[in-house]
Amino acid sequence: MFSFLELKPYIISHGVSKYWQSLLPLAKLHPTRRRLLALYHKIINTPHFEKSLPWSLDNLEPFDRQAYIDSLLSQYPAIPEEFCMWILEWPDRLVIASRWPGIQLSDCGTNDYQRRFGFNWLGYKSNSPQLFAVLYKNKTPHVKYIPALLIWRTESTTDWLIFAEDERDLFGRVYTTDFMDLESSAVIPYGRGPNLVDKSDDDSDDESDGYINVPYADWVSYLEHHWEVTARILRFPEKLKRDGLPAWLVERPVKIEFDTALPNTLPTFSWNLRDTISHLALFS
């Protein structure tokens, strides 16, 4: 019975009785659910973890979790398993680094233990989320658009969750592209990028040591990383009383600025328009 419980009832079941507490660890949980459970325990066992929550709790809004998933499935037939389970089962009062559909699209204003600097694009149209068309294998004969969900943007970086099921090396990965590394906000890196080290005194034409953008293996890995960043800040409790700048909502309708670094704009077009924007690959 316990093996089929979702995350919330599994956690709550620990309070039923000592007998249940002895049985629950024996349950054969789904591997992704077990990883989310491990992350949950890691968070609540982090000293001062509760101090990371006030801002997100103050800005939390309800959204229909199943409708969120259904909206994505209406645009593309496959959703990365880790992300899907997180949307459906993760406690909404335990937001990690401002990333949650129930937090409105806004400039989070600061980088501290409660918020992360940048824009939470998960909160854009949280009742009917959109997939976007990003370029892959750009500047090759095999260039194409693939579907991705826009997660987060700063003045130089853009985070994408890849939905392209036919690209097994990409499906479910989370890429952070960075203009400071000469990457594009609308292009998923492919192969080696330019070497950013000055080699003006080197006559070699070897590009084998060029920059490689290594993605997060999946959504849970992405969350684990961002909790680690928060946890490092929480290690210094004497600094946890500072007040951050107020957040401000992004003006609607949101503008589309193709392949730019403006964090309050969309860097590309929606997935359902991919057949009408193929010519834009010429400019990236």
Side-chain angles (χ1 to χ4, degrees):
M1 177 183 71
F2 297 129
S3 299
F4 299 99
L5 291 177
E6 294 185 351
L7 189 62
K8 182 177 179 179
Y10 181 87
I11 293 171
I12 294 175
S13 295
H14 284 76
V16 173
S17 68
K18 290 184 178 180
Y19 178 62
W20 277 34
Q21 289 179 18
S22 68
L23 294 177
L24 284 163
L26 304 178
K28 295 182 179 180
L29 295 180
H30 187 286
T32 297
R33 186 169 292 118
R34 187 169 293 282
R35 290 179 65 198
L36 288 172
L37 179 66
L39 178 57
Y40 169 84
H41 283 299
K42 186 173 188 177
I43 292 173
I44 66 172
N45 287 304
T46 299
H48 311 293
F49 87 93
E50 70 283 353
K51 294 184 180 296
S52 71
L53 302 178
W55 183 85
S56 60
L57 293 177
D58 289 343
N59 290 273
L60 194 63
E61 295 186 350
F63 73 101
D64 189 322
R65 298 184 186 220
Q66 188 59 56
Y68 187 98
I69 295 300
D70 291 342
S71 178
L72 293 175
L73 287 173
S74 71
Q75 300 165 67
Y76 192 76
I79 299 178
E81 179 182 68
E82 298 83 3
F83 182 76
C84 183
M85 190 172 291
W86 177 74
I87 288 290
L88 294 175
E89 301 186 20
W90 187 256
D92 60 357
R93 298 176 65 82
L94 200 60
V95 174
I96 299 173
S98 312
R99 288 158 170 79
W100 183 248
I103 302 292
Q104 289 192 62
L105 172 59
S106 62
D107 180 355
C108 289
T110 190
N111 191 41
D112 60 21
Y113 56 96
Q114 292 189 44
R115 291 181 275 172
R116 198 58 44 78
F117 179 76
F119 292 75
N120 172 46
W121 281 92
L122 277 176
Y124 177 60
K125 295 187 175 181
S126 59
N127 291 317
S128 56
Q130 283 186 309
L131 292 177
F132 293 92
V134 292
L135 282 165
Y136 181 55
K137 296 183 179 179
N138 196 34
K139 299 180 181 179
T140 77
H142 307 291
V143 61
K144 64 177 181 178
Y145 280 106
I146 60 174
L149 184 66
L150 182 58
I151 305 300
W152 193 265
R153 298 200 77 187
T154 70
E155 292 180 352
S156 68
T157 64
T158 303
D159 295 0
W160 293 104
L161 173 62
I162 308 302
F163 275 59
E165 189 180 28
D166 58 330
E167 295 286 347
R168 300 309 302 174
D169 291 338
L170 292 186
F171 184 63
R173 305 284 194 269
V174 181
Y175 274 89
T176 296
T177 64
D178 194 337
F179 265 66
M180 300 302 291
D181 291 327
L182 304 182
E183 294 177 333
S184 164
S185 60
V187 178
I188 299 303
Y190 174 70
R192 294 183 181 272
N195 195 324
L196 302 183
V197 178
D198 184 6
K199 300 181 70 176
S200 56
D201 296 330
D202 189 348
D203 295 331
S204 172
D205 293 328
D206 183 14
E207 297 182 356
S208 62
D209 59 348
Y211 171 77
I212 295 180
N213 185 319
V214 179
Y216 297 94
D218 55 36
W219 183 251
V220 178
S221 297
Y222 179 75
L223 294 175
E224 290 170 340
H225 165 77
H226 285 289
W227 176 251
E228 285 297 330
V229 173
T230 300
R232 285 198 294 269
I233 302 174
L234 291 172
R235 292 173 188 168
F236 304 96
E238 69 278 4
K239 299 181 180 180
L240 300 185
K241 295 182 180 180
R242 61 187 180 188
D243 295 324
L245 298 172
W248 55 272
L249 298 179
V250 173
E251 183 180 350
R252 304 295 181 100
V254 175
K255 296 180 180 179
I256 299 174
E257 298 286 350
F258 185 76
D259 198 23
T260 69
L262 300 174
N264 61 331
T265 66
L266 291 167
T268 186
F269 295 82
S270 62
W271 175 243
N272 60 10
L273 294 177
R274 62 192 180 281
D275 293 332
T276 66
I277 59 171
S278 58
H279 63 284
L280 293 177
L282 299 172
F283 302 98
S284 297

